[in-house]
Amino acid sequence: MGKSIVVSATLARSNFFSFELIKREEVDSLFDVTRFNEAIIYDTNLPWHTDLAVLTKQAGEIVGVAGASKTCTKLWQIGIEVLPKYRNLGLASYLVTG
């Protein structure tokens, strides 16, 4: 995916995850991964779109996403979603603070 930044981290229970920052033009590639409705704005008819997203991957599979959209000049909205199997490992916190 384009000019993505990949960072590696080890979190709780010694699971290895990689984290990838993608920009607005790359977010379109996530439109076929519609299971992250709380993190990515999939409706292209809305006046705002996901401008940045951080993906959490394990073994190449996306298991969590934090998406940010600039909904007005002074407000960014953040949505976070982690697949149920990967919850309670600190991934959501890491996505917004790491």
Side-chain angles (χ1 to χ4, degrees):
M1 283 190 206
K3 298 178 182 178
S4 301
I5 299 168
V6 178
V7 182
S8 296
T10 303
L11 296 175
R13 301 185 195 166
S14 299
N15 291 315
F16 179 79
F17 297 95
S18 63
F19 299 88
E20 184 175 351
L21 173 66
I22 62 173
K23 297 180 181 178
R24 183 176 183 170
E25 55 275 0
E26 298 170 295
V27 171
D28 291 350
S29 68
L30 297 179
F31 282 8
D32 62 336
V33 186
T34 57
R35 64 181 174 259
F36 297 104
N37 293 322
E38 300 299 323
I40 300 295
I41 299 170
Y42 292 101
D43 188 346
T44 57
N45 295 316
L46 293 174
W48 55 86
H49 305 278
T50 302
D51 293 296
L52 290 172
V54 180
L55 312 178
T56 303
K57 294 182 177 182
Q58 186 176 57
E61 177 190 5
I62 300 172
V63 299
V65 177
S69 59
K70 189 172 185 180
T71 54
C72 64
T73 58
K74 295 185 179 184
L75 175 71
W76 281 80
Q77 178 177 305
I78 299 173
I80 305 165
E81 192 159 1
V82 176
L83 296 179
K85 178 180 174 181
Y86 298 95
R87 292 181 184 160
N88 300 312
L89 298 175
L91 292 174
S93 296
Y94 190 84
L95 281 169
V96 296
T97 62

